[in-house]
Amino acid sequence: MKASNGNKHTLADSGYTAWLSYPVLPQGNAYNQYVKWCGAVKVAEENDTVQAALQEWQRGIESMLGIKVSSKPDGLCIAIGTFQGGNELISGVFAEDTLAKVGPEGFAIRSSEENDCIAVGASSPAGVLYGVFHLLRLIGSLQSIEGLDEVVNPVNGLRMINHWDNFDGSVERGYSGRSFLYEDNRFTRDLERIRDYARLMSSAGINAIAINNVNVHALETLFISKYLPDVSRIADVFRLYGIKLFLSVNFAGPMHEGEVGTADPLDPEVRKWWQSKAAEIYAAIPDFGGFVVKADSENRPGPFTYGRDHADGANMLAEALEPFGGIVIWRCFVYNCKQDWRDRKTDRARAAYDHFKPLDGKFNDNVILQIKNGPMDFQVREPVSPLFGALERTNQVIEFQIAQEYTGQQRHVCYLVPQWKEIMEFNTYAKGEASPVKHIVDGSLWGNRYSGIAAVSNVGNDKNWTGHLLAQANLYGYGRLAWNPELTAEQIASEWISLTFGTDPVVSGVISRILLDSWEIYESYTAPLGVGWMINPEHHYGPNVDGYEYSQWGTYHYADHRGIGVDRTVKTGTGYSAQYLGSNAEHYDSLEECPDELLLFFHHVPYTHILHSGKTVIQHIYDAHFEGAERAAELLSMWTSLKDKVAEGLYLQVENRLKEQAGHAKEWRDQINTYFYRKSGIEDNSERVIY
Amino acid sequence: MKASNGNKHTLADSGYTAWLSYPVLPQGNAYNQYVKWCGAVKVAEENDTVQAALQEWQRGIESMLGIKVSSKPDGLCIAIGTFQGGNELISGVFAEDTLAKVGPEGFAIRSSEENDCIAVGASSPAGVLYGVFHLLRLIGSLQSIEGLDEVVNPVNGLRMINHWDNFDGSVERGYSGRSFLYEDNRFTRDLERIRDYARLMSSAGINAIAINNVNVHALETLFISKYLPDVSRIADVFRLYGIKLFLSVNFAGPMHEGEVGTADPLDPEVRKWWQSKAAEIYAAIPDFGGFVVKADSENRPGPFTYGRDHADGANMLAEALEPFGGIVIWRCFVYNCKQDWRDRKTDRARAAYDHFKPLDGKFNDNVILQIKNGPMDFQVREPVSPLFGALERTNQVIEFQIAQEYTGQQRHVCYLVPQWKEIMEFNTYAKGEASPVKHIVDGSLWGNRYSGIAAVSNVGNDKNWTGHLLAQANLYGYGRLAWNPELTAEQIASEWISLTFGTDPVVSGVISRILLDSWEIYESYTAPLGVGWMINPEHHYGPNVDGYEYSQWGTYHYADHRGIGVDRTVKTGTGYSAQYLGSNAEHYDSLEECPDELLLFFHHVPYTHILHSGKTVIQHIYDAHFEGAERAAELLSMWTSLKDKVAEGLYLQVENRLKEQAGHAKEWRDQINTYFYRKSGIEDNSERVIY
């Protein structure tokens, strides 16, 4: 069976409609149940967002069920709206205590025979939208809509996407074409695409988007002045879908854009400049989200220039935004990027903690620190940043990278939800035994005013948004996980597959396996055992074992002919392991206890060191790389089994990428194995070909 | 004593006037002798080139001697002109058999008391120019001009410079700013600078310049059509100084610029296209030199596309140029640039010989093959290309690279004349015992119609032309060596120093030592023992031992924990050594006889292999790198000893570069030593710090 609507819609066939493709559902009991309820819809609100929800509902139902949705119910129907929607239509369906449980962005949903409807109600129009997307998702994945009676609130307050799009149309670490927001230093006029993007984001649960790169160049510095009308037009589109717009700002703005001779955060002129700037912005965009700031990081300007600290810098901006309800998101990606590779005592992994731990409690309460998930930089494997747990009195969000900078650049498939899940479940021991990262991130552990998740976007102007079609699963999965970290990676994959490809269980089984195995596979043929960074400098694609070994970036593996790894222990190394709390510190510090997959992150060991797996380090390297390349080739053959089951356009896109991956995985295998064979002189005990 | 005219002229102080700075000469016997003869000059020709020679003479004498040159002799004088100059002025001074010895570009010079003059006579205006520059050079280096009686002819017919300037203003492998010929896809209007460039080139003996990059991009393809008027303007300037202009052309021109659907060299339409193109060019530039062609090389188009060979391609162009006296210079830099690094049998070093040896005798006699000096690509050390000696019936020129792509990029000092000398003296055994490269290059060994030398330019729009002031010595030295390969590296250095900095013997001694040691120093701290290529990919600056090890470029060292080197022997390697003639083949093939400095080019050896020097390979690597970095630092202290003896502008330029070199040499030292220490595990027997 061909995927149901693959050939009907070129947009769907290109991947453009993504998980809002609404594939035609198969006939059967579920279908009949949906038709029973969904023939009509009731809405009694003119609010734009509620109307957008209604449109989405009609589009989805008409596509999936092939029926017209009437707005004049005669029998069962779907009723959507806010509780305050001007009549009893919605609130009357729910019990009082149900209403009380619905948060500002949450919704309640109830299938009520006595009211002749399934009601989707919310406190806010955005909640209505989320509820409608929820119900569409249930239908799209063939779940029952009878007997529904639940309240759904997002677990995380801030569910954010960071774009690294530049005004010239390039995208820093973009692997899906160019920007669809900008080209040639002007705003694109393709508001239709931006609206479709907002629909996708909203349906995945995103409520905040920063539209420009954290490295704010000369012209982008003017987004908060000259280009404000353009920014405002995008904010209008986002608003419709419950999304707040944020801007990355240049800390040196008062000097570059303004005419203040300094950017010193304690200078009254500077403070005044930002205050009046905030007023200007909010005059144009009343619900503007706030600023994202990369300061004193990788050569960006910041408070250090003036002998001030990060709290001084962030609080100054926070003061300016506070009257308008805005927030400052201050990135913690601060480290010495001019390190001497000869210096083994300086440890980039320590940097974020060393910089920000002493400032705990010093930030205003509309400042949020944005902390990368690991201490280095989005490697395929690294430990969780020890800042999680260390900051007790500071708002914080975790930063993930949906863009696959270090995980195959959307030319290899690497479904990242399992990685993010593992990080979110990591127990920090910050407040007793049960202190997982997810409870820091959702604000519950310390009771923060603001908290949540941010991630670097993986979209561009490629027709299918993400270059690799399967990379859409990361974008979708990120949003879903941000909404509810309790969802499993399997659940999310399964949802995404149904919504994108339809409900054929064979298709679902194969793609699900491809996705769920992909991270492990990618890890197995790239840098081994958590050591990271064996990549080509600058563009970061493809193997290069010594690519960063003699560089200034603080990213070394120290391989010699006896062994490899970075000694980050307390007694003989950089002492990084002591930044962890409770048993984590001892666990990582101990050669015996350290988990295999992070061994080389924490310890320098001989190639003959025996892992918990029973293999030596060198044999593990050989085995993992041979197996990894083989499994990458298997991904391709798994996919080709779907040739007649997936719409041709989608099929071919993925086939091409998986072919490249299979070939490139061999290149990884051979370069890594050859490097270590030449260096160690130790033979592979299976006598496979190493060059 | 401050360098004499350093402070008077800002142009001289910037380095712009280079070896035509004409520093003021010290008072003394020599000075008095010059004043005696040089007070007046006689010329009886209106020819532009002879007039340019006269101007140069006046400029030089007035600057060096501080006297006015009268054109109305009253007593002793200098007489310059061609023998055909319309009177007895010149030819009357020389004996009949002297006149007969003067070739088309040569000159005779005679100090004749009976004629009251020193006469500089030549068969051609260009010869007059060369003679005047010769006499100025004698004076500028304080040599006697009494009793002169000699005939000087250039040893090599073609003395060429290849510019790799692109129309957009960039210079491929340029290290001296941007192009002064083009900017932003138009010809610069700075004809004054181009004229000064022509003066410099002519004074060094250059008679041919190709003005655009051998990689001919879209717009440069139109240099032979749309932009011909602009090209012609440059040719006019060059003509004045005896220089013929050449163009690099796009082999696919008939398709891209013309409307022929193919570039097949045997297609009659293609041949006709090139023929009429040649006619157009010569209508605009009657003395146009010809074409330089890079075909079927590094992704450039060529005859292979049509199943034709290089002779088919070159001869087709040659036919088009022949009626006008033009020549085709066809580059032999042809190799597989998509090699699999796992494949140890393919050997890039073999490629030029394998491609062109079978074609010997098949090229028209106005085709010249341009052969890089070595089989790889301008490394600091590689053997001489075995094509020299192998081609018995083919015109050929040797190609050097004045641009220091692989020898420090004009940020390190590396005086290349000693390298070029060594290559020119290399005995090929092609025609018995005495068959040095220089006799192939000058055409004498095989009696070629055309022969000579070409080299890639090192100039740009930096005020001092070459970025590093001391790199001017390579430009000057290249021209002088092309004129007369018998000049020693010491002589050339000494001339250049006097002409640039004046005649202070202390200055001369120090700079001469810096120059003459510099190649050895650079070699000592970079890739060891002839193995080459341990550099950063693409831009080629700075150390990166594995930078090209897993690449497609055919440039490997195969270092493992036991040893290093490329086995190019006959029995166990690629067989490259057999491309040499006579005892060279055995010499290189033999592990015992192979010279140390090329050992790793020809053999893969253990680190413990004992060199002729008595050191192990690994100890040689350590020692050479420690010593090299130390000697680089000494270059700086030698230079600083000249602080009060060299004009400040010149002094500071060189000081800055030598500082960078001293620091960067340490980086080379540490990265190379660390790489080999980590890989071999063998300790330095002097226990110095390796990381």
Side-chain angles (χ1 to χ4, degrees):
Chain A
M1 181 188 90
K2 274 267 180 195
S4 22
N5 67 344
N7 293 328
K8 280 196 311 196
H9 307 293
T10 14
L11 280 179
D13 210 36
S14 71
Y16 180 80
T17 52
W19 57 87
L20 297 180
S21 291
Y22 302 119
V24 176
L25 294 178
Q27 298 295 321
N29 291 343
Y31 178 86
N32 295 337
Q33 184 194 87
Y34 303 149
V35 170
K36 182 177 103 186
W37 288 98
C38 302
V41 65
K42 270 199 291 196
V43 190
E45 277 170 289
E46 293 306 315
N47 173 284
D48 289 344
T49 298
V50 175
Q51 288 297 316
L54 172 63
Q55 273 179 35
E56 197 67 36
W57 176 256
Q58 288 168 324
R59 182 200 303 243
I61 291 304
E62 291 176 14
S63 172
M64 289 191 286
L65 303 183
I67 60 172
K68 264 292 188 207
V69 176
S70 156
S71 56
K72 301 211 172 83
D74 173 24
L76 298 181
C77 75
I78 307 296
I80 67 176
T82 61
F83 303 131
Q84 304 78 32
N87 57 38
E88 291 277 301
L89 177 66
I90 300 298
S91 52
V93 179
F94 299 97
E96 274 300 315
D97 65 328
T98 300
L99 295 185
K101 287 183 203 153
V102 178
E105 293 185 299
F107 58 88
I109 188 163
R110 183 163 174 244
S111 315
S112 169
E113 299 274 356
E114 70 267 33
N115 290 292
D116 285 343
C117 75
I118 297 177
V120 177
S123 324
S124 68
V128 173
L129 197 57
Y130 293 133
V132 165
F133 279 123
H134 177 82
L135 191 53
L136 285 167
R137 189 184 305 125
L138 291 180
I139 294 172
S141 50
L142 291 184
Q143 293 176 63
S144 174
I145 58 172
E146 308 264 6
L148 294 174
D149 191 4
E150 53 178 333
V151 170
V152 181
N153 286 305
V155 175
N156 291 293
L158 198 71
R159 304 179 301 280
M160 186 174 207
I161 294 278
N162 289 177
H163 278 258
W164 286 0
D165 295 36
N166 297 314
F167 203 31
D168 65 6
S170 64
V171 179
E172 186 162 328
R173 309 310 176 187
Y175 312 107
S176 321
R178 310 269 299 170
S179 174
F180 57 81
L181 298 169
Y182 322 109
E183 61 186 348
D184 299 334
N185 294 322
R186 55 183 192 76
F187 283 74
T188 57
R189 289 282 170 255
D190 193 355
L191 286 183
E192 194 53 36
R193 179 150 192 163
I194 294 171
R195 184 175 167 147
D196 284 332
Y197 178 57
R199 288 175 53 227
L200 285 166
M201 291 301 91
S202 176
S203 74
I206 297 303
N207 68 351
I209 298 180
I211 62 168
N212 63 314
N213 188 359
V214 289
N215 293 314
V216 182
H217 309 293
L219 286 173
E220 289 91 337
T221 300
L222 310 181
F223 276 22
I224 53 174
S225 52
K226 178 177 171 190
Y227 296 106
L228 210 41
D230 297 278
V231 174
S232 173
R233 254 190 297 276
I234 297 179
D236 291 344
V237 178
F238 284 1
R239 185 177 303 114
L240 198 58
Y241 289 93
I243 297 165
K244 283 192 175 183
L245 184 145
F246 287 70
L247 287 173
S248 299
V249 294
N250 182 347
F251 192 81
M255 300 170 72
H256 294 300
E257 200 240 308
E259 294 186 342
V260 188
T262 173
D264 181 350
L266 301 193
D267 183 283
E269 286 300 306
V270 172
R271 300 177 90 89
K272 224 173 75 189
W273 188 87
W274 281 109
Q275 282 156 13
S276 73
K277 187 50 70 182
E280 267 176 61
I281 297 169
Y282 279 91
I285 308 170
D287 58 351
F288 178 70
F291 297 151
V292 177
V293 191
K294 176 176 180 178
D296 286 316
S297 166
E298 297 183 327
N299 311 313
R300 304 306 306 161
F304 286 177
T305 310
Y306 310 100
R308 315 303 182 190
D309 65 24
H310 287 283
D312 296 327
N315 292 342
M316 177 266 296
L317 295 173
E319 265 181 37
L321 295 175
E322 178 71 46
F324 309 96
I327 57 179
V328 173
I329 299 180
W330 191 268
R331 293 176 88 241
C332 295
F333 189 52
V334 176
Y335 67 98
N336 173 10
C337 67
K338 301 262 170 76
Q339 187 174 336
D340 188 329
W341 58 268
R342 301 164 187 80
D343 163 18
R344 289 206 187 193
K345 282 298 166 196
T346 300
D347 182 1
R348 169 168 165 180
R350 294 185 58 108
Y353 182 102
D354 286 344
H355 279 291
F356 287 93
K357 168 69 179 165
L359 299 176
D360 189 23
K362 299 203 172 151
F363 291 94
N364 287 13
D365 77 348
N366 64 329
V367 173
I368 309 180
L369 296 189
Q370 180 165 312
I371 306 167
K372 288 195 178 188
N373 62 262
M376 297 300 278
D377 193 16
F378 301 132
Q379 300 300 291
V380 67
R381 175 74 66 177
E382 51 179 304
V384 171
S385 170
L387 262 183
F388 294 109
L391 299 176
E392 305 183 4
R393 291 165 297 149
T394 304
N395 296 316
Q396 52 202 289
V397 295
I398 194 168
E399 178 177 342
F400 291 131
Q401 192 184 38
I402 315 174
Q404 292 171 234
E405 179 176 359
Y406 298 100
T407 49
Q409 302 197 352
Q410 289 140 250
R411 295 157 78 174
H412 297 230
V413 57
C414 190
Y415 179 55
L416 291 165
V417 175
Q419 187 199 50
W420 298 332
K421 284 284 295 181
E422 206 170 286
I423 292 159
M424 295 285 268
E425 296 298 332
F426 179 75
N427 193 350
T428 65
Y429 300 106
K431 206 172 170 185
E433 278 304 309
S435 308
V437 168
K438 67 184 175 188
H439 290 163
I440 294 170
V441 163
D442 69 19
S444 64
L445 198 76
W446 306 116
N448 302 102
R449 178 178 176 197
Y450 293 107
S451 66
I453 311 195
V456 182
S457 156
N458 68 344
V459 299
N461 71 353
D462 276 358
K463 198 72 198 170
N464 73 358
W465 302 92
T466 55
H468 202 312
L469 183 70
L470 300 184
Q472 287 183 357
N474 286 327
L475 186 57
Y476 177 81
Y478 165 71
R480 294 290 289 143
L481 200 69
W483 180 278
N484 179 12
E486 301 304 327
L487 291 171
T488 66
E490 291 78 2
Q491 278 174 307
I492 292 172
S494 169
E495 280 179 15
W496 176 75
I497 296 165
S498 296
L499 301 176
T500 306
F501 296 96
T503 54
D504 181 337
V506 175
V507 171
S508 186
V510 169
I511 300 180
S512 190
R513 206 182 129 201
I514 290 175
L515 291 177
L516 291 165
D517 288 355
S518 61
W519 175 40
E520 187 179 292
I521 293 174
Y522 191 80
E523 180 177 17
S524 70
Y525 59 74
T526 54
L529 300 167
V531 76
W533 296 108
M534 294 179 170
I535 44 168
N536 284 302
E538 293 169 24
H539 62 70
H540 297 169
Y541 190 69
N544 187 338
V545 180
D546 278 356
Y548 276 94
E549 191 58 16
Y550 301 97
S551 78
Q552 62 181 3
W553 295 96
T555 48
Y556 316 112
H557 55 65
Y558 302 123
D560 61 23
H561 93 291
R562 292 179 199 85
I564 179 173
V566 187
D567 185 350
R568 293 194 163 101
T569 64
V570 173
K571 271 202 189 145
T572 55
T574 67
Y576 166 77
S577 62
Q579 291 186 343
Y580 289 90
L581 298 169
S583 61
N584 285 336
E586 297 142 40
H587 192 53
Y588 288 140
D589 200 63
S590 154
L591 183 56
E592 290 69 39
E593 288 177 33
C594 185
D596 285 354
E597 73 271 13
L598 287 172
L599 183 70
L600 303 183
F601 194 93
F602 285 99
H603 299 274
H604 187 94
V605 300
Y607 296 117
T608 51
H609 175 83
I610 310 280
L611 298 170
H612 295 125
S613 70
K615 291 180 183 182
T616 61
V617 165
I618 190 76
Q619 194 57 44
H620 169 88
I621 292 174
Y622 296 152
D623 288 350
H625 286 80
F626 280 111
E627 285 159 22
E630 213 166 283
R631 292 179 72 191
E634 282 165 19
L635 292 177
L636 176 61
S637 54
M638 283 160 70
W639 181 258
T640 54
S641 75
L642 300 181
K643 189 166 175 128
D644 296 325
K645 293 177 181 291
V646 169
E648 195 183 6
L650 303 183
Y651 174 81
L652 290 174
Q653 287 182 33
V654 176
E655 186 186 54
N656 284 335
R657 301 268 163 164
L658 291 177
K659 273 184 189 164
E660 175 177 350
Q661 179 175 2
H664 200 233
K666 285 188 196 153
E667 191 61 31
W668 270 100
R669 172 195 71 193
D670 289 343
Q671 287 200 32
I672 300 276
N673 282 346
T674 300
Y675 180 96
F676 286 104
Y677 175 61
R678 289 188 186 175
K679 203 149 203 167
S680 70
I682 301 175
E683 302 288 336
D684 167 33
N685 63 18
S686 299
E687 295 176 0
R688 290 161 290 196
V689 180
I690 301 178
Y691 297 90
Chain B
M1 178 187 92
K2 273 269 179 194
S4 21
N5 67 343
N7 293 329
K8 280 196 310 197
H9 307 292
T10 13
L11 281 181
D13 210 34
S14 71
Y16 180 82
T17 52
W19 56 86
L20 297 180
S21 291
Y22 302 117
V24 176
L25 294 177
Q27 299 294 320
N29 290 343
Y31 178 88
N32 295 337
Q33 185 195 88
Y34 304 149
V35 170
K36 181 177 104 188
W37 288 96
C38 301
V41 64
K42 271 199 294 199
V43 189
E45 278 169 288
E46 293 305 316
N47 172 286
D48 288 345
T49 298
V50 174
Q51 288 299 316
L54 172 64
Q55 272 179 35
E56 196 68 37
W57 176 257
Q58 288 169 325
R59 181 201 303 243
I61 291 304
E62 291 177 16
S63 173
M64 289 190 287
L65 305 183
I67 61 174
K68 263 294 187 203
V69 177
S70 157
S71 56
K72 303 210 171 80
D74 172 25
L76 297 180
C77 74
I78 307 295
I80 67 175
T82 63
F83 303 132
Q84 304 78 33
N87 59 37
E88 290 278 300
L89 176 65
I90 299 297
S91 53
V93 178
F94 298 97
E96 274 300 315
D97 66 330
T98 299
L99 295 184
K101 286 186 207 151
V102 178
E105 294 186 299
F107 59 87
I109 188 164
R110 183 162 176 245
S111 315
S112 168
E113 299 272 359
E114 70 265 35
N115 290 291
D116 284 346
C117 74
I118 297 177
V120 177
S123 325
S124 67
V128 174
L129 196 58
Y130 293 135
V132 165
F133 279 124
H134 177 83
L135 191 54
L136 284 168
R137 188 184 307 121
L138 291 179
I139 293 170
S141 50
L142 290 184
Q143 293 174 65
S144 173
I145 58 172
E146 307 264 6
L148 294 175
D149 191 4
E150 55 178 331
V151 171
V152 181
N153 288 305
V155 174
N156 291 293
L158 197 72
R159 304 179 302 280
M160 184 172 207
I161 293 277
N162 290 177
H163 278 257
W164 286 0
D165 295 34
N166 297 314
F167 204 31
D168 66 5
S170 65
V171 179
E172 186 164 328
R173 310 309 175 187
Y175 312 108
S176 320
R178 311 270 298 170
S179 173
F180 57 81
L181 298 169
Y182 321 110
E183 60 186 347
D184 300 334
N185 295 321
R186 55 182 192 78
F187 283 73
T188 58
R189 290 281 168 256
D190 193 355
L191 287 182
E192 193 54 38
R193 177 146 194 167
I194 295 172
R195 184 175 167 146
D196 283 332
Y197 178 58
R199 288 173 55 227
L200 285 166
M201 291 302 90
S202 177
S203 75
I206 298 303
N207 68 352
I209 299 181
I211 62 168
N212 62 314
N213 189 358
V214 290
N215 293 316
V216 181
H217 309 291
L219 287 173
E220 289 91 337
T221 299
L222 310 180
F223 275 23
I224 54 176
S225 51
K226 179 177 171 189
Y227 296 107
L228 210 41
D230 297 277
V231 174
S232 175
R233 255 190 297 275
I234 296 180
D236 292 343
V237 178
F238 284 1
R239 186 178 302 113
L240 199 60
Y241 288 92
I243 297 165
K244 281 191 177 183
L245 183 146
F246 287 69
L247 287 174
S248 299
V249 294
N250 181 348
F251 192 80
M255 300 169 71
H256 293 301
E257 197 238 313
E259 295 186 343
V260 188
T262 173
D264 180 352
L266 301 193
D267 183 283
E269 287 300 305
V270 171
R271 300 176 89 89
K272 225 173 75 189
W273 188 87
W274 281 110
Q275 282 155 15
S276 72
K277 188 51 66 185
E280 267 176 62
I281 297 169
Y282 280 91
I285 308 170
D287 59 349
F288 178 70
F291 296 150
V292 177
V293 191
K294 176 176 180 177
D296 286 317
S297 165
E298 296 183 329
N299 312 314
R300 303 306 305 161
F304 287 176
T305 309
Y306 310 99
R308 315 303 182 189
D309 66 23
H310 288 283
D312 296 328
N315 291 343
M316 177 268 294
L317 295 172
E319 266 182 35
L321 295 174
E322 179 70 50
F324 309 98
I327 57 179
V328 173
I329 298 179
W330 191 269
R331 292 175 89 240
C332 295
F333 189 52
V334 176
Y335 67 97
N336 174 10
C337 67
K338 300 263 170 75
Q339 187 174 337
D340 188 330
W341 58 269
R342 299 163 188 82
D343 164 18
R344 289 204 185 194
K345 281 301 166 191
T346 301
D347 182 0
R348 169 169 165 179
R350 295 186 58 110
Y353 182 102
D354 287 344
H355 278 289
F356 286 93
K357 168 70 179 166
L359 300 176
D360 190 23
K362 299 202 173 154
F363 292 93
N364 287 11
D365 77 347
N366 65 328
V367 172
I368 308 180
L369 295 189
Q370 180 163 312
I371 305 167
K372 288 195 178 186
N373 63 261
M376 297 300 279
D377 193 17
F378 303 132
Q379 300 301 291
V380 68
R381 175 75 67 175
E382 51 179 306
V384 171
S385 170
L387 262 184
F388 294 109
L391 299 176
E392 304 184 2
R393 291 164 296 148
T394 304
N395 297 317
Q396 53 202 287
V397 296
I398 193 169
E399 178 177 342
F400 291 130
Q401 191 183 38
I402 314 173
Q404 292 171 237
E405 178 177 358
Y406 298 100
T407 49
Q409 302 198 351
Q410 288 140 248
R411 293 157 79 173
H412 296 228
V413 57
C414 189
Y415 178 56
L416 291 166
V417 176
Q419 187 200 50
W420 299 333
K421 285 285 294 181
E422 207 171 285
I423 292 160
M424 296 286 267
E425 297 298 333
F426 178 75
N427 193 349
T428 65
Y429 299 107
K431 207 172 168 185
E433 278 303 310
S435 308
V437 169
K438 66 184 176 188
H439 290 163
I440 295 170
V441 163
D442 68 19
S444 63
L445 198 75
W446 306 116
N448 302 102
R449 179 178 174 195
Y450 292 108
S451 67
I453 311 195
V456 182
S457 156
N458 69 343
V459 299
N461 72 353
D462 276 359
K463 198 74 198 169
N464 72 358
W465 303 93
T466 54
H468 202 312
L469 184 72
L470 299 184
Q472 288 183 356
N474 287 327
L475 186 58
Y476 178 81
Y478 165 72
R480 295 288 291 141
L481 199 69
W483 181 277
N484 179 11
E486 301 304 325
L487 290 170
T488 66
E490 291 78 1
Q491 279 173 308
I492 293 172
S494 169
E495 279 178 17
W496 176 75
I497 296 165
S498 295
L499 301 176
T500 306
F501 295 97
T503 54
D504 181 335
V506 175
V507 171
S508 186
V510 168
I511 300 180
S512 190
R513 207 183 128 203
I514 290 175
L515 291 177
L516 291 166
D517 288 354
S518 61
W519 175 40
E520 187 178 293
I521 292 174
Y522 191 79
E523 182 178 16
S524 71
Y525 58 75
T526 54
L529 300 167
V531 77
W533 296 108
M534 292 176 172
I535 44 169
N536 284 302
E538 292 168 26
H539 62 70
H540 297 169
Y541 190 70
N544 186 339
V545 180
D546 278 355
Y548 276 94
E549 191 58 15
Y550 301 96
S551 78
Q552 61 180 6
W553 296 96
T555 48
Y556 315 113
H557 56 64
Y558 302 123
D560 61 23
H561 92 292
R562 294 181 196 84
I564 180 176
V566 187
D567 185 351
R568 293 191 163 105
T569 64
V570 173
K571 273 201 190 144
T572 55
T574 68
Y576 166 78
S577 62
Q579 292 186 344
Y580 288 90
L581 298 168
S583 60
N584 285 337
E586 296 143 42
H587 193 53
Y588 287 141
D589 200 64
S590 154
L591 182 57
E592 290 69 39
E593 289 179 31
C594 185
D596 285 354
E597 72 271 16
L598 288 172
L599 183 69
L600 303 183
F601 193 92
F602 285 99
H603 299 274
H604 186 93
V605 300
Y607 295 118
T608 51
H609 174 83
I610 310 281
L611 298 169
H612 296 125
S613 71
K615 290 182 183 179
T616 61
V617 165
I618 190 74
Q619 194 57 46
H620 169 88
I621 292 174
Y622 296 152
D623 288 351
H625 286 80
F626 280 112
E627 285 158 24
E630 213 166 282
R631 292 180 71 191
E634 282 165 21
L635 292 177
L636 176 62
S637 54
M638 284 161 70
W639 181 258
T640 55
S641 75
L642 300 182
K643 190 168 174 123
D644 297 325
K645 293 179 180 291
V646 169
E648 194 182 10
L650 303 184
Y651 174 82
L652 290 175
Q653 287 182 33
V654 177
E655 186 186 54
N656 284 335
R657 301 268 165 165
L658 291 177
K659 272 184 191 165
E660 175 177 349
Q661 178 175 4
H664 200 234
K666 284 187 198 155
E667 191 61 33
W668 270 99
R669 173 195 71 193
D670 289 342
Q671 285 200 31
I672 300 275
N673 283 345
T674 299
Y675 180 95
F676 286 105
Y677 175 61
R678 288 190 187 174
K679 204 150 202 167
S680 70
I682 300 175
E683 302 288 336
D684 167 32
N685 65 19
S686 299
E687 292 173 5
R688 291 161 290 197
V689 179
I690 300 178
Y691 297 89

